[in-house]
Amino acid sequence: MIAVITGDIINSQQADTEVWITRLKNLLQHWGSAPDAWEIYRGDEFQLKCGIDDAFWRFLAIKSLIRSQENLDVRIAIGIGEENYSAEKITESNGTAYIHSGRLLDELKKDGCTVAVKTSSDSVNRDLNILLKWSSKDFDSWTVATAEIIHEMIMNNTSTQEDLARKFAISQSSVSQRLKRAHYDLIVETNQYFKKKIAEL
């Protein structure tokens, strides 16, 4: 089984494309090479293939990267399933993971949610999507400053609060406050729960 993350940038026309697309490409390149592992297409849509244990954390890395830029957000569909055909370009590959992810993104555009997951199990879908709906209340309201801190923690989980304070030229107490406001400890627990539920498939 694999995870396929399909997403699109919300309000992409209201931001400097060169800035966000360069940052997104740099992030995706961190996880693999284009176009077999990831691809950006139709201007502001993208797709990424990853292991099922990495899916939630990579969603958060992308979410925090995009939210760290003014007026931007991202809509993400996580499809969990099989890959029956692997092409040179990810957008030409096929299998249930791709079908779940692509169709789910279309559904998200209609219902206004910013993240959801689809697997072959109705009970896993129900449990994880209730969790994601609640979590999104926080994720969707991250300020630029909070998103920056969260992104750094996700990408460098050995960073201390002192490291972050130096990087962002703020006090350690400010770092602590931002992490508390973002409920970072709960985010880590949510990632563990996500992995546990996916392991039931």
Side-chain angles (χ1 to χ4, degrees), residues 27-45:
L27 177 62
L28 296 175
Q29 283 171 350
H30 187 76
W31 298 320
S33 58
D36 58 322
W38 62 269
E39 194 171 1
I40 297 174
Y41 57 98
R42 292 202 300 203
D44 63 359
E45 296 191 8

mmCIF file with all atom_site columns, all heavy atoms in Angstrom, residues 27-45:
data_model
loop_
_atom_site.group_PDB
_atom_site.id
_atom_site.type_symbol
_atom_site.label_atom_id
_atom_site.label_alt_id
_atom_site.label_comp_id
_atom_site.label_asym_id
_atom_site.label_entity_id
_atom_site.label_seq_id
_atom_site.pdbx_PDB_ins_code
_atom_site.Cartn_x
_atom_site.Cartn_y
_atom_site.Cartn_z
_atom_site.occupancy
_atom_site.B_iso_or_equiv
_atom_site.pdbx_formal_charge
_atom_site.auth_seq_id
_atom_site.auth_comp_id
_atom_site.auth_asym_id
_atom_site.auth_atom_id
_atom_site.pdbx_PDB_model_num
ATOM 1   N N   . LEU A 1 27 ? 10.445 21.730 -1.262  1.00 0.00 ? 27 LEU A N   1
ATOM 2   C CA  . LEU A 1 27 ? 9.965  20.791 -0.253  1.00 0.00 ? 27 LEU A CA  1
ATOM 3   C C   . LEU A 1 27 ? 9.747  19.406 -0.860  1.00 0.00 ? 27 LEU A C   1
ATOM 4   O O   . LEU A 1 27 ? 10.201 18.397 -0.325  1.00 0.00 ? 27 LEU A O   1
ATOM 5   C CB  . LEU A 1 27 ? 8.657  21.299 0.367   1.00 0.00 ? 27 LEU A CB  1
ATOM 6   C CG  . LEU A 1 27 ? 7.995  20.361 1.390   1.00 0.00 ? 27 LEU A CG  1
ATOM 7   C CD1 . LEU A 1 27 ? 8.911  20.127 2.587   1.00 0.00 ? 27 LEU A CD1 1
ATOM 8   C CD2 . LEU A 1 27 ? 6.646  20.914 1.834   1.00 0.00 ? 27 LEU A CD2 1
ATOM 9   N N   . LEU A 1 28 ? 9.058  19.356 -1.993  1.00 0.00 ? 28 LEU A N   1
ATOM 10  C CA  . LEU A 1 28 ? 8.761  18.074 -2.628  1.00 0.00 ? 28 LEU A CA  1
ATOM 11  C C   . LEU A 1 28 ? 10.040 17.361 -3.063  1.00 0.00 ? 28 LEU A C   1
ATOM 12  O O   . LEU A 1 28 ? 10.134 16.132 -2.968  1.00 0.00 ? 28 LEU A O   1
ATOM 13  C CB  . LEU A 1 28 ? 7.824  18.287 -3.824  1.00 0.00 ? 28 LEU A CB  1
ATOM 14  C CG  . LEU A 1 28 ? 6.424  18.829 -3.481  1.00 0.00 ? 28 LEU A CG  1
ATOM 15  C CD1 . LEU A 1 28 ? 5.642  19.122 -4.759  1.00 0.00 ? 28 LEU A CD1 1
ATOM 16  C CD2 . LEU A 1 28 ? 5.652  17.871 -2.589  1.00 0.00 ? 28 LEU A CD2 1
ATOM 17  N N   . GLN A 1 29 ? 11.031 18.107 -3.509  1.00 0.00 ? 29 GLN A N   1
ATOM 18  C CA  . GLN A 1 29 ? 12.315 17.515 -3.912  1.00 0.00 ? 29 GLN A CA  1
ATOM 19  C C   . GLN A 1 29 ? 13.025 16.869 -2.727  1.00 0.00 ? 29 GLN A C   1
ATOM 20  O O   . GLN A 1 29 ? 13.832 15.953 -2.904  1.00 0.00 ? 29 GLN A O   1
ATOM 21  C CB  . GLN A 1 29 ? 13.221 18.587 -4.540  1.00 0.00 ? 29 GLN A CB  1
ATOM 22  C CG  . GLN A 1 29 ? 12.841 18.929 -5.963  1.00 0.00 ? 29 GLN A CG  1
ATOM 23  C CD  . GLN A 1 29 ? 13.583 20.137 -6.503  1.00 0.00 ? 29 GLN A CD  1
ATOM 24  O OE1 . GLN A 1 29 ? 14.269 20.852 -5.769  1.00 0.00 ? 29 GLN A OE1 1
ATOM 25  N NE2 . GLN A 1 29 ? 13.440 20.388 -7.785  1.00 0.00 ? 29 GLN A NE2 1
ATOM 26  N N   . HIS A 1 30 ? 12.699 17.339 -1.536  1.00 0.00 ? 30 HIS A N   1
ATOM 27  C CA  . HIS A 1 30 ? 13.268 16.767 -0.318  1.00 0.00 ? 30 HIS A CA  1
ATOM 28  C C   . HIS A 1 30 ? 12.863 15.299 -0.160  1.00 0.00 ? 30 HIS A C   1
ATOM 29  O O   . HIS A 1 30 ? 13.553 14.518 0.494   1.00 0.00 ? 30 HIS A O   1
ATOM 30  C CB  . HIS A 1 30 ? 12.789 17.607 0.876   1.00 0.00 ? 30 HIS A CB  1
ATOM 31  C CG  . HIS A 1 30 ? 13.410 17.261 2.179   1.00 0.00 ? 30 HIS A CG  1
ATOM 32  N ND1 . HIS A 1 30 ? 14.680 17.625 2.524   1.00 0.00 ? 30 HIS A ND1 1
ATOM 33  C CD2 . HIS A 1 30 ? 12.927 16.565 3.238   1.00 0.00 ? 30 HIS A CD2 1
ATOM 34  C CE1 . HIS A 1 30 ? 14.965 17.187 3.736   1.00 0.00 ? 30 HIS A CE1 1
ATOM 35  N NE2 . HIS A 1 30 ? 13.918 16.532 4.191   1.00 0.00 ? 30 HIS A NE2 1
ATOM 36  N N   . TRP A 1 31 ? 11.726 14.926 -0.763  1.00 0.00 ? 31 TRP A N   1
ATOM 37  C CA  . TRP A 1 31 ? 11.163 13.584 -0.595  1.00 0.00 ? 31 TRP A CA  1
ATOM 38  C C   . TRP A 1 31 ? 11.316 12.680 -1.821  1.00 0.00 ? 31 TRP A C   1
ATOM 39  O O   . TRP A 1 31 ? 10.940 11.511 -1.771  1.00 0.00 ? 31 TRP A O   1
ATOM 40  C CB  . TRP A 1 31 ? 9.686  13.681 -0.235  1.00 0.00 ? 31 TRP A CB  1
ATOM 41  C CG  . TRP A 1 31 ? 9.436  14.387 1.053   1.00 0.00 ? 31 TRP A CG  1
ATOM 42  C CD1 . TRP A 1 31 ? 10.161 14.273 2.211   1.00 0.00 ? 31 TRP A CD1 1
ATOM 43  C CD2 . TRP A 1 31 ? 8.377  15.312 1.345   1.00 0.00 ? 31 TRP A CD2 1
ATOM 44  N NE1 . TRP A 1 31 ? 9.614  15.066 3.191   1.00 0.00 ? 31 TRP A NE1 1
ATOM 45  C CE2 . TRP A 1 31 ? 8.523  15.717 2.687   1.00 0.00 ? 31 TRP A CE2 1
ATOM 46  C CE3 . TRP A 1 31 ? 7.324  15.833 0.590   1.00 0.00 ? 31 TRP A CE3 1
ATOM 47  C CZ2 . TRP A 1 31 ? 7.647  16.615 3.291   1.00 0.00 ? 31 TRP A CZ2 1
ATOM 48  C CZ3 . TRP A 1 31 ? 6.457  16.725 1.186   1.00 0.00 ? 31 TRP A CZ3 1
ATOM 49  C CH2 . TRP A 1 31 ? 6.619  17.111 2.523   1.00 0.00 ? 31 TRP A CH2 1
ATOM 50  N N   . GLY A 1 32 ? 11.808 13.208 -2.913  1.00 0.00 ? 32 GLY A N   1
ATOM 51  C CA  . GLY A 1 32 ? 11.949 12.378 -4.107  1.00 0.00 ? 32 GLY A CA  1
ATOM 52  C C   . GLY A 1 32 ? 12.091 13.231 -5.346  1.00 0.00 ? 32 GLY A C   1
ATOM 53  O O   . GLY A 1 32 ? 12.090 14.463 -5.285  1.00 0.00 ? 32 GLY A O   1
ATOM 54  N N   . SER A 1 33 ? 12.220 12.569 -6.476  1.00 0.00 ? 33 SER A N   1
ATOM 55  C CA  . SER A 1 33 ? 12.450 13.293 -7.727  1.00 0.00 ? 33 SER A CA  1
ATOM 56  C C   . SER A 1 33 ? 11.174 13.384 -8.568  1.00 0.00 ? 33 SER A C   1
ATOM 57  O O   . SER A 1 33 ? 10.325 12.489 -8.527  1.00 0.00 ? 33 SER A O   1
ATOM 58  C CB  . SER A 1 33 ? 13.561 12.606 -8.531  1.00 0.00 ? 33 SER A CB  1
ATOM 59  O OG  . SER A 1 33 ? 13.205 11.256 -8.792  1.00 0.00 ? 33 SER A OG  1
ATOM 60  N N   . ALA A 1 34 ? 11.088 14.457 -9.307  1.00 0.00 ? 34 ALA A N   1
ATOM 61  C CA  . ALA A 1 34 ? 9.976  14.637 -10.244 1.00 0.00 ? 34 ALA A CA  1
ATOM 62  C C   . ALA A 1 34 ? 10.401 14.034 -11.591 1.00 0.00 ? 34 ALA A C   1
ATOM 63  O O   . ALA A 1 34 ? 11.585 14.019 -11.912 1.00 0.00 ? 34 ALA A O   1
ATOM 64  C CB  . ALA A 1 34 ? 9.666  16.116 -10.390 1.00 0.00 ? 34 ALA A CB  1
ATOM 65  N N   . PRO A 1 35 ? 9.472  13.536 -12.386 1.00 0.00 ? 35 PRO A N   1
ATOM 66  C CA  . PRO A 1 35 ? 8.022  13.528 -12.152 1.00 0.00 ? 35 PRO A CA  1
ATOM 67  C C   . PRO A 1 35 ? 7.489  12.194 -11.622 1.00 0.00 ? 35 PRO A C   1
ATOM 68  O O   . PRO A 1 35 ? 6.287  12.006 -11.584 1.00 0.00 ? 35 PRO A O   1
ATOM 69  C CB  . PRO A 1 35 ? 7.481  13.793 -13.553 1.00 0.00 ? 35 PRO A CB  1
ATOM 70  C CG  . PRO A 1 35 ? 8.460  13.052 -14.446 1.00 0.00 ? 35 PRO A CG  1
ATOM 71  C CD  . PRO A 1 35 ? 9.805  13.180 -13.770 1.00 0.00 ? 35 PRO A CD  1
ATOM 72  N N   . ASP A 1 36 ? 8.398  11.264 -11.226 1.00 0.00 ? 36 ASP A N   1
ATOM 73  C CA  . ASP A 1 36 ? 7.883  9.956  -10.795 1.00 0.00 ? 36 ASP A CA  1
ATOM 74  C C   . ASP A 1 36 ? 7.352  9.954  -9.366  1.00 0.00 ? 36 ASP A C   1
ATOM 75  O O   . ASP A 1 36 ? 6.394  9.248  -9.058  1.00 0.00 ? 36 ASP A O   1
ATOM 76  C CB  . ASP A 1 36 ? 8.952  8.872  -10.965 1.00 0.00 ? 36 ASP A CB  1
ATOM 77  C CG  . ASP A 1 36 ? 10.223 9.176  -10.184 1.00 0.00 ? 36 ASP A CG  1
ATOM 78  O OD1 . ASP A 1 36 ? 10.607 10.359 -10.120 1.00 0.00 ? 36 ASP A OD1 1
ATOM 79  O OD2 . ASP A 1 36 ? 10.833 8.238  -9.643  1.00 0.00 ? 36 ASP A OD2 1
ATOM 80  N N   . ALA A 1 37 ? 7.953  10.760 -8.464  1.00 0.00 ? 37 ALA A N   1
ATOM 81  C CA  . ALA A 1 37 ? 7.508  10.788 -7.067  1.00 0.00 ? 37 ALA A CA  1
ATOM 82  C C   . ALA A 1 37 ? 6.546  11.943 -6.788  1.00 0.00 ? 37 ALA A C   1
ATOM 83  O O   . ALA A 1 37 ? 5.730  11.867 -5.876  1.00 0.00 ? 37 ALA A O   1
ATOM 84  C CB  . ALA A 1 37 ? 8.700  10.880 -6.123  1.00 0.00 ? 37 ALA A CB  1
ATOM 85  N N   . TRP A 1 38 ? 6.656  13.014 -7.562  1.00 0.00 ? 38 TRP A N   1
ATOM 86  C CA  . TRP A 1 38 ? 5.769  14.153 -7.376  1.00 0.00 ? 38 TRP A CA  1
ATOM 87  C C   . TRP A 1 38 ? 5.717  14.977 -8.662  1.00 0.00 ? 38 TRP A C   1
ATOM 88  O O   . TRP A 1 38 ? 6.602  14.867 -9.507  1.00 0.00 ? 38 TRP A O   1
ATOM 89  C CB  . TRP A 1 38 ? 6.210  15.044 -6.210  1.00 0.00 ? 38 TRP A CB  1
ATOM 90  C CG  . TRP A 1 38 ? 7.585  15.663 -6.397  1.00 0.00 ? 38 TRP A CG  1
ATOM 91  C CD1 . TRP A 1 38 ? 8.783  15.126 -5.995  1.00 0.00 ? 38 TRP A CD1 1
ATOM 92  C CD2 . TRP A 1 38 ? 7.903  16.908 -7.032  1.00 0.00 ? 38 TRP A CD2 1
ATOM 93  N NE1 . TRP A 1 38 ? 9.823  15.953 -6.340  1.00 0.00 ? 38 TRP A NE1 1
ATOM 94  C CE2 . TRP A 1 38 ? 9.310  17.061 -6.976  1.00 0.00 ? 38 TRP A CE2 1
ATOM 95  C CE3 . TRP A 1 38 ? 7.147  17.900 -7.638  1.00 0.00 ? 38 TRP A CE3 1
ATOM 96  C CZ2 . TRP A 1 38 ? 9.973  18.178 -7.513  1.00 0.00 ? 38 TRP A CZ2 1
ATOM 97  C CZ3 . TRP A 1 38 ? 7.794  19.015 -8.178  1.00 0.00 ? 38 TRP A CZ3 1
ATOM 98  C CH2 . TRP A 1 38 ? 9.188  19.136 -8.107  1.00 0.00 ? 38 TRP A CH2 1
ATOM 99  N N   . GLU A 1 39 ? 4.683  15.785 -8.759  1.00 0.00 ? 39 GLU A N   1
ATOM 100 C CA  . GLU A 1 39 ? 4.546  16.653 -9.931  1.00 0.00 ? 39 GLU A CA  1
ATOM 101 C C   . GLU A 1 39 ? 3.618  17.810 -9.590  1.00 0.00 ? 39 GLU A C   1
ATOM 102 O O   . GLU A 1 39 ? 2.651  17.645 -8.846  1.00 0.00 ? 39 GLU A O   1
ATOM 103 C CB  . GLU A 1 39 ? 3.994  15.846 -11.105 1.00 0.00 ? 39 GLU A CB  1
ATOM 104 C CG  . GLU A 1 39 ? 4.130  16.543 -12.435 1.00 0.00 ? 39 GLU A CG  1
ATOM 105 C CD  . GLU A 1 39 ? 3.789  15.640 -13.624 1.00 0.00 ? 39 GLU A CD  1
ATOM 106 O OE1 . GLU A 1 39 ? 3.415  14.462 -13.405 1.00 0.00 ? 39 GLU A OE1 1
ATOM 107 O OE2 . GLU A 1 39 ? 3.886  16.125 -14.756 1.00 0.00 ? 39 GLU A OE2 1
ATOM 108 N N   . ILE A 1 40 ? 3.934  18.977 -10.119 1.00 0.00 ? 40 ILE A N   1
ATOM 109 C CA  . ILE A 1 40 ? 3.045  20.144 -10.043 1.00 0.00 ? 40 ILE A CA  1
ATOM 110 C C   . ILE A 1 40 ? 2.471  20.326 -11.443 1.00 0.00 ? 40 ILE A C   1
ATOM 111 O O   . ILE A 1 40 ? 3.213  20.320 -12.430 1.00 0.00 ? 40 ILE A O   1
ATOM 112 C CB  . ILE A 1 40 ? 3.801  21.407 -9.592  1.00 0.00 ? 40 ILE A CB  1
ATOM 113 C CG1 . ILE A 1 40 ? 4.343  21.209 -8.164  1.00 0.00 ? 40 ILE A CG1 1
ATOM 114 C CG2 . ILE A 1 40 ? 2.878  22.628 -9.642  1.00 0.00 ? 40 ILE A CG2 1
ATOM 115 C CD1 . ILE A 1 40 ? 5.225  22.341 -7.672  1.00 0.00 ? 40 ILE A CD1 1
ATOM 116 N N   . TYR A 1 41 ? 1.158  20.461 -11.532 1.00 0.00 ? 41 TYR A N   1
ATOM 117 C CA  . TYR A 1 41 ? 0.526  20.523 -12.857 1.00 0.00 ? 41 TYR A CA  1
ATOM 118 C C   . TYR A 1 41 ? -0.672 21.476 -12.815 1.00 0.00 ? 41 TYR A C   1
ATOM 119 O O   . TYR A 1 41 ? -1.137 21.884 -11.747 1.00 0.00 ? 41 TYR A O   1
ATOM 120 C CB  . TYR A 1 41 ? 0.089  19.113 -13.303 1.00 0.00 ? 41 TYR A CB  1
ATOM 121 C CG  . TYR A 1 41 ? -0.847 18.426 -12.335 1.00 0.00 ? 41 TYR A CG  1
ATOM 122 C CD1 . TYR A 1 41 ? -2.227 18.440 -12.536 1.00 0.00 ? 41 TYR A CD1 1
ATOM 123 C CD2 . TYR A 1 41 ? -0.353 17.770 -11.198 1.00 0.00 ? 41 TYR A CD2 1
ATOM 124 C CE1 . TYR A 1 41 ? -3.091 17.811 -11.652 1.00 0.00 ? 41 TYR A CE1 1
ATOM 125 C CE2 . TYR A 1 41 ? -1.207 17.135 -10.310 1.00 0.00 ? 41 TYR A CE2 1
ATOM 126 C CZ  . TYR A 1 41 ? -2.574 17.161 -10.542 1.00 0.00 ? 41 TYR A CZ  1
ATOM 127 O OH  . TYR A 1 41 ? -3.425 16.565 -9.650  1.00 0.00 ? 41 TYR A OH  1
ATOM 128 N N   . ARG A 1 42 ? -1.163 21.849 -13.974 1.00 0.00 ? 42 ARG A N   1
ATOM 129 C CA  . ARG A 1 42 ? -2.298 22.782 -14.128 1.00 0.00 ? 42 ARG A CA  1
ATOM 130 C C   . ARG A 1 42 ? -2.123 24.051 -13.301 1.00 0.00 ? 42 ARG A C   1
ATOM 131 O O   . ARG A 1 42 ? -3.083 24.616 -12.778 1.00 0.00 ? 42 ARG A O   1
ATOM 132 C CB  . ARG A 1 42 ? -3.618 22.094 -13.781 1.00 0.00 ? 42 ARG A CB  1
ATOM 133 C CG  . ARG A 1 42 ? -3.985 21.014 -14.781 1.00 0.00 ? 42 ARG A CG  1
ATOM 134 C CD  . ARG A 1 42 ? -5.450 20.688 -14.796 1.00 0.00 ? 42 ARG A CD  1
ATOM 135 N NE  . ARG A 1 42 ? -5.956 20.198 -13.519 1.00 0.00 ? 42 ARG A NE  1
ATOM 136 C CZ  . ARG A 1 42 ? -7.048 19.455 -13.390 1.00 0.00 ? 42 ARG A CZ  1
ATOM 137 N NH1 . ARG A 1 42 ? -7.742 19.118 -14.457 1.00 0.00 ? 42 ARG A NH1 1
ATOM 138 N NH2 . ARG A 1 42 ? -7.442 19.049 -12.209 1.00 0.00 ? 42 ARG A NH2 1
ATOM 139 N N   . GLY A 1 43 ? -0.886 24.462 -13.144 1.00 0.00 ? 43 GLY A N   1
ATOM 140 C CA  . GLY A 1 43 ? -0.614 25.743 -12.489 1.00 0.00 ? 43 GLY A CA  1
ATOM 141 C C   . GLY A 1 43 ? -0.518 25.680 -10.987 1.00 0.00 ? 43 GLY A C   1
ATOM 142 O O   . GLY A 1 43 ? 0.490  26.074 -10.410 1.00 0.00 ? 43 GLY A O   1
ATOM 143 N N   . ASP A 1 44 ? -1.566 25.165 -10.314 1.00 0.00 ? 44 ASP A N   1
ATOM 144 C CA  . ASP A 1 44 ? -1.558 25.205 -8.851  1.00 0.00 ? 44 ASP A CA  1
ATOM 145 C C   . ASP A 1 44 ? -2.011 23.899 -8.205  1.00 0.00 ? 44 ASP A C   1
ATOM 146 O O   . ASP A 1 44 ? -2.435 23.874 -7.063  1.00 0.00 ? 44 ASP A O   1
ATOM 147 C CB  . ASP A 1 44 ? -2.417 26.365 -8.341  1.00 0.00 ? 44 ASP A CB  1
ATOM 148 C CG  . ASP A 1 44 ? -3.884 26.241 -8.720  1.00 0.00 ? 44 ASP A CG  1
ATOM 149 O OD1 . ASP A 1 44 ? -4.244 25.256 -9.408  1.00 0.00 ? 44 ASP A OD1 1
ATOM 150 O OD2 . ASP A 1 44 ? -4.670 27.116 -8.335  1.00 0.00 ? 44 ASP A OD2 1
ATOM 151 N N   . GLU A 1 45 ? -1.930 22.808 -8.939  1.00 0.00 ? 45 GLU A N   1
ATOM 152 C CA  . GLU A 1 45 ? -2.253 21.503 -8.376  1.00 0.00 ? 45 GLU A CA  1
ATOM 153 C C   . GLU A 1 45 ? -0.985 20.652 -8.317  1.00 0.00 ? 45 GLU A C   1
ATOM 154 O O   . GLU A 1 45 ? -0.050 20.862 -9.080  1.00 0.00 ? 45 GLU A O   1
ATOM 155 C CB  . GLU A 1 45 ? -3.332 20.795 -9.198  1.00 0.00 ? 45 GLU A CB  1
ATOM 156 C CG  . GLU A 1 45 ? -4.659 21.533 -9.176  1.00 0.00 ? 45 GLU A CG  1
ATOM 157 C CD  . GLU A 1 45 ? -5.806 20.732 -9.766  1.00 0.00 ? 45 GLU A CD  1
ATOM 158 O OE1 . GLU A 1 45 ? -5.615 19.533 -10.065 1.00 0.00 ? 45 GLU A OE1 1
ATOM 159 O OE2 . GLU A 1 45 ? -6.895 21.302 -9.921  1.00 0.00 ? 45 GLU A OE2 1
#
